[in-house]
Amino acid sequence: YCSTCEEVFSEQLDMSFANAKITQKDTILQSKHLELHIPKNVYVTGDLIEQLDIVTSVMEKVSGMKFSGNPHYANERIKVDVVKPEGSEYGPANASRQEFTISSGDLVDLYALIHECSHSLQFNQSHWWYCQWAIEGISTYTTYKTQKYIEEHYPALVERVDDITHSLFNYQITNYEKLYDHPMEYWIDNTFEYSLNANYSIGFHFMWFLDSTYGDYTKWIYAFEEANPS
């Protein structure tokens, strides 16, 4: 520590680190669409809320979905439970209909937060629980499109959300020809061993097909909901 140079150092620091803090107690922070429940001793960047507002705004833009898409399902804010895994800053992340869970490190590297938040965004459109690869497809493709949009319009944020190569690596398929050994109905009920994660890979590529062919990958949610209102 250099008290003489403190002013010079602070001018060169990124604002997210200059205003960062470690929570001293259980803390609740609110962004426009999220309510974060953070335990003590968690590192929080100074611009977290600002960045979350940008991220959720981009998610809505690229997906066409809204966090308030259906008042029957959507809460005012989505609850985000932040956990601090023992011996690590990262651990499992998961989502349910109106809340999701991430690890403390995911407040700095926002990739997992975007993925789980994409689940909650989809759940706010419809109460139907689709097959797993469809649910993961919407989330992985929304994550990819969010990263891509941020890369093009908010380059300073890329380090926080990871670049699209992270998504493409996770969703790659090592043997495309095997996809055509069976119809889609088969893959709904069976795993696909030619990828890092079958539900991620098949779902992502199917959403890409819908988006590239029809210009939209989420409109079917509303059509399905309208045809099956109960």
Side-chain angles (χ1 to χ4, degrees):
Y1 175 74
C2 174
S3 58
T4 305
C5 302
E6 180 181 10
E7 183 176 350
V8 176
F9 288 160
S10 65
E11 288 177 355
Q12 296 178 356
L13 287 173
D14 181 88
M15 288 301 294
S16 65
F17 297 100
N19 297 322
K21 64 179 181 180
I22 296 177
T23 55
Q24 301 301 305
K25 60 181 181 179
D26 292 353
T27 303
I28 295 177
L29 298 178
Q30 293 182 335
S31 66
K32 182 177 180 180
H33 296 297
L34 306 177
E35 181 176 277
L36 289 81
H37 292 246
I38 308 171
K40 64 180 180 179
N41 295 325
V42 169
Y43 178 83
V44 178
T45 59
D47 59 356
L48 177 62
I49 298 304
E50 176 188 353
Q51 305 301 354
L52 290 180
D53 282 339
I54 292 174
V55 164
T56 52
S57 175
V58 171
M59 290 172 66
E60 288 187 318
K61 184 178 183 67
V62 300
S63 69
M65 298 185 288
K66 299 293 182 183
F67 284 95
S68 57
N70 189 323
H72 183 69
Y73 312 123
N75 290 335
E76 182 177 352
R77 286 186 177 88
I78 296 170
K79 181 182 178 184
V80 183
D81 286 316
V82 180
V83 299
K84 189 172 176 61
E86 186 175 351
S88 174
E89 294 296 325
Y90 296 94
N94 58 79
S96 60
R97 292 199 178 278
Q98 296 298 333
E99 62 184 82
F100 61 90
T101 300
I102 56 174
S103 298
S104 53
D106 298 323
L107 296 180
V108 178
D109 179 353
L110 300 177
Y111 174 82
L113 183 146
I114 296 172
H115 179 94
E116 302 305 332
C117 192
S118 295
H119 282 306
S120 294
L121 178 58
Q122 181 254 305
F123 293 150
N124 277 341
Q125 319 307 309
S126 170
H127 77 288
W128 285 95
W129 186 275
Y130 309 106
C131 61
Q132 196 65 37
W133 65 261
I135 292 174
E136 295 296 352
I138 293 172
S139 183
T140 54
Y141 196 69
T142 299
T143 300
Y144 163 79
K145 293 197 72 171
T146 298
Q147 290 175 301
K148 192 171 188 298
Y149 189 94
I150 287 175
E151 188 175 274
E152 295 171 352
H153 296 87
Y154 299 95
L157 265 182
V158 172
E159 187 175 354
R160 295 289 297 276
V161 305
D162 283 336
D163 58 47
I164 59 175
T165 57
H166 186 164
S167 290
L168 295 178
F169 175 77
N170 283 339
Y171 316 149
Q172 67 181 326
I173 294 175
T174 58
N175 194 329
Y176 284 94
E177 293 181 357
K178 292 293 183 180
L179 275 172
Y180 302 100
D181 285 352
H182 302 282
M184 180 62 76
E185 289 79 7
Y186 175 87
W187 297 120
I188 291 175
D189 298 320
N190 295 273
T191 58
F192 183 73
E193 63 270 29
Y194 301 99
S195 62
L196 295 176
N197 184 304
N199 290 318
Y200 281 22
S201 297
I202 294 176
F204 175 85
H205 285 79
F206 185 69
M207 297 305 156
W208 173 85
F209 166 77
L210 292 178
D211 204 27
S212 59
T213 304
Y214 302 105
D216 193 290
Y217 70 101
T218 60
K219 194 172 294 184
W220 63 271
I221 297 174
Y222 311 107
F224 192 93
E225 175 79 8
E226 184 177 348
N228 301 273
S230 59

